[in-house]
Amino acid sequence: MGGEPRFVFGPVPSRRLGQSLGVDPLPAKTCNWNCVYCQLGRTTRMKLGQERAEYFPKEEILQEVREVLAKHQPGEIDWVTFVGSGEPTLYSELGWLIRQVKACSELPVAVITNGSLLYLPEVRAELMAADAVLPSLDAGEAELYRRINRALPELSFKRLLDGMTAFRESFPGALWVEVMLVRGLNDGEEALNRLADALRTVRPDQVHINLPTRPPAESWVKPPDPDGVERAVRILGKTAQVVRPAAGKFDLGNGQDLEQAVLHILTRHPMKESQLRDALSDYGAEDVLEKLLESGRVQVVERYGERFWTVSKGRYGKPVNGH
Ligand code: SF4
């Protein structure tokens, strides 16, 4: 492998997976949903999400994973996680990649997915080799699902729920369902009761309640107030827990090309300005941010009174009425 990695990023501190080495097999942003809370901004090319494809040669991705793993000491990475610039099951060789990573490393493998393609038997079969699969379920009925996740029309709520339930029946690993709680959308009594019903059908091992903490695609998306969080924990059942933001440092590599290292992470993972400055201060290189901004390759998106850094190609809704 020459130069900086293209498909592998981190390890980054993850709220659920410790130090997680991310593997992103997709071009930015390839998704079949357009969630109002998406940290990557709006999905501008939904068409791309209609079919699975080998967007990049699988051997190149695997080679890069191998080389990055070889550069880290035991204990520096907790999980290898397929996640990134969209929906990873749209990569048609995902199953092959998971099996190959498992064959060359002792580390557990996770897949963070929206779960939309679990209705396809071949996708369920491919994910079988993973140790943990983390699909999303933000609503317990079709109308709210449509408003939050804004999926392609053929991806109905019924398909999502049936696919997840069928996967649960055969998957021997950990199924952790992710719920993103958005104020005024799915944090009320009725919405949570419907969601709890849906979760009882799926029977995940754990339910992770996430709160929007990175810049959402739509500026009106807000985290629930403490009552909403408490209601969700009470209604979603014994296996539900709130996932708080991770502590920990971002790995910016050997410091040789910090601009590139920052860009590489921001492409998949917008960061708070304070967190980014903290990571760069280890290298005495806070000026990297100003250089990147001047070059036009990054942008600052303000949400919840915080400044978040992300790449300039992300499309975020403009704040409305100063919010
Ligand atoms: S949050 Fe995930 S599923 Fe939703 S639009 Fe973004 S990448 Fe797609």
Side-chain angles (χ1 to χ4, degrees), residues 29-43 46 84-88 112-115 136 138 148-149:
K29 169 188 176 181
T30 307
C31 198
N32 46 15
W33 285 8
N34 180 21
C35 303
V36 293
Y37 57 74
C38 184
Q39 60 168 345
L40 302 171
R42 293 174 179 163
T43 309
M46 287 286 271
S85 303
E87 171 45 41
I112 298 182
T113 169
N114 61 19
S136 291
D138 303 318
I148 298 177
N149 303 113

Side-chain angles (χ1 to χ4, degrees), residues 65-77:
V65 176
R66 283 205 176 110
E67 294 186 20
V68 175
L69 285 175
K71 285 185 193 150
H72 283 86
Q73 302 297 322
E76 286 180 356
I77 298 171

